[in-house]
Amino acid sequence: MPTTQQHTSLLKFLAINALELSAPATPLLLEQQQTQSKPHGWMQLSGHPESIVPTSSGIVRKRIAGIEDSEVLAYQQISQEPKTSQIVPAYFGLRELQGQHYIELQDLLAGFKDPCVMDIKLGSRTFLESEVSNQTLRPDLYQKMIAVDASAPTPAEHEAQAVTKLRYMLFRESLSSSHTKGFRIEALRLRGRAPLKDLKTCRSSEQISQTIEQFLAARRSVQKELLKRLKHMRLVIEQSAFFNRHEIIGSSLFIVYDDHRMGAWLIDFAKSRQLPPHLCVNHRSPWQPGNREEGLLHGMDELIHAFEEVYARSSSHRSCLKI
């Protein structure tokens, strides 16, 4: 069985790994990490662990492309809004080391002891419009599509044996609850168990409810506090100047709790993009090419509804037990 120290190392890894990094850290900074033996049970939850650099207690570093990186601009602007800055990891500024740029962020698991952790990707669209603007027919994406579902391509696509990247991305979104509910459960970790990562196909209302019930373990106080936190986060997003002027793609909700406290934050702004002056979004309307809607708040609405159903079901079960 893993020791308490090994559990702590694993959980710290999961917390910083949930930041969904995309670029590797410098060999110099990683040298010490790579030479240390990994604890028993070490497992990747999501993202790219080779690009994360833990520092002093309570802080992690995330590599960025440069000081004009979208995520830098996002945290800098969010930090100017007192209420909005409370629903994301604390931002401690920029750091340059060996010619590489990093942002320093709050370690979201600092202070928790052997907690349960859930990572939920928000939005009905998790790709940028610029990523799917090329209309070239791609045989490789057709092969990926039929490997999952041979009946998915249209007759014309079968004849061409190729699909556009947009078509493939929309197909991929349809495999999860992202397209219909505006969120998908990416991964979770329950106390004393290995992380569960293969959850992207958890898409029906019943599957989602069962997963949430398993995660919350009928803890009424946690359910109540989490619902309060999620509703507060939604209100802050609705009133935020930053969110009013930005398209938010690929961000996640990071939820963690233990026996003593609960926390929830919005993480990962690598694909946040400022909107043109003539455009505005409400984060709820369906996406059409060019309108930049991504369904962030639609996902929050549906997620809150899912947690409310679990809370109500828990209340009903408790009432039955008292009869």
Side-chain angles (χ1 to χ4, degrees), residues 128-322:
L128 292 167
E129 291 187 5
S130 60
E131 294 175 319
V132 295
S133 59
N134 191 326
Q135 294 300 306
T136 301
L137 291 174
R138 293 180 52 178
D140 60 323
L141 297 182
Y142 170 80
Q143 292 298 326
K144 286 185 177 182
M145 181 183 287
I146 62 174
V148 176
D149 184 356
S151 66
T154 65
E157 289 168 343
H158 275 306
E159 184 177 355
Q161 294 194 1
V163 297
T164 65
K165 186 172 182 179
L166 173 59
R167 173 73 171 94
Y168 175 74
M169 295 298 284
L170 291 174
F171 164 74
R172 193 178 69 170
E173 301 283 37
S174 72
L175 298 176
S176 72
S177 58
S178 291
H179 179 67
T180 55
K181 296 185 179 297
F183 74 86
R184 68 174 180 247
I185 300 174
E186 288 278 284
L188 64 84
R189 189 264 185 187
L190 303 176
R191 174 172 295 180
R193 301 185 187 180
L196 301 175
K197 300 183 291 181
D198 190 20
L199 296 172
K200 292 181 180 179
T201 55
C202 173
R203 59 181 177 179
S204 73
S205 295
E206 186 58 29
Q207 288 173 328
I208 291 169
S209 292
Q210 289 176 356
T211 303
I212 292 174
E213 285 180 339
Q214 184 181 23
F215 175 67
L216 295 176
R219 295 192 177 216
R220 296 277 296 166
S221 61
V222 173
Q223 295 174 17
K224 185 176 181 180
E225 286 302 309
L226 181 54
L227 273 171
K228 181 179 178 181
R229 172 68 171 172
L230 293 180
K231 290 178 180 179
H232 170 71
M233 293 176 71
R234 178 174 63 183
L235 180 62
V236 169
I237 292 171
E238 289 173 335
Q239 297 176 346
S240 165
F242 172 81
F243 285 97
N244 185 50
R245 297 301 312 151
H246 284 78
E247 171 188 20
I248 310 297
I249 298 294
S251 291
S252 291
L253 185 68
F254 188 74
I255 301 172
V256 54
Y257 76 88
D258 61 13
D259 287 335
H260 305 288
R261 64 192 187 105
M262 182 279 305
W265 299 266
L266 194 62
I267 64 172
D268 195 354
F269 298 96
K271 289 188 177 182
S272 63
R273 297 291 186 272
Q274 186 168 342
L275 298 169
H278 67 280
L279 271 183
C280 62
V281 295
N282 58 35
H283 304 291
R284 287 188 170 97
S285 296
W287 174 64
Q288 295 178 351
N291 73 0
R292 306 288 287 272
E293 292 285 358
E294 81 299 88
L296 178 73
L297 282 173
H298 168 59
M300 286 291 288
D301 293 339
E302 290 287 339
L303 185 64
I304 289 171
H305 178 66
F307 275 95
E308 284 177 331
E309 284 194 331
V310 170
Y311 185 72
R313 188 181 302 184
S314 175
S315 299
S316 175
H317 179 66
R318 286 170 63 90
S319 298
C320 290
L321 291 177
K322 292 179 181 179

Side-chain angles (χ1 to χ4, degrees), residues 23 62-69 71-72 94-95 100-103:
K62 176 176 181 177
R63 186 183 170 186
I64 55 174
I67 59 175
E68 297 298 320
D69 185 90
E71 194 148 30
V72 176
L94 286 164
R95 180 67 64 92
Q100 303 290 343
H101 293 92
Y102 301 84
I103 51 174

Side-chain angles (χ1 to χ4, degrees), residues 9-22 42-54 60-62 107-109 119 187 195 197 252 254 267-268:
S9 298
L10 173 60
L11 287 167
K12 184 171 290 293
F13 170 77
L14 295 179
I16 58 180
N17 192 29
L19 293 171
E20 295 270 336
L21 307 183
S22 59
W42 183 276
M43 187 176 295
Q44 179 174 342
L45 184 63
S46 62
H48 305 267
E50 71 275 8
S51 46
I52 303 164
V53 184
V60 295
R61 287 190 185 127
K62 176 176 181 177
D107 178 351
L108 298 180
L109 282 178
D119 184 341
K197 300 183 291 181
S252 291
F254 188 74
I267 64 172
D268 195 354

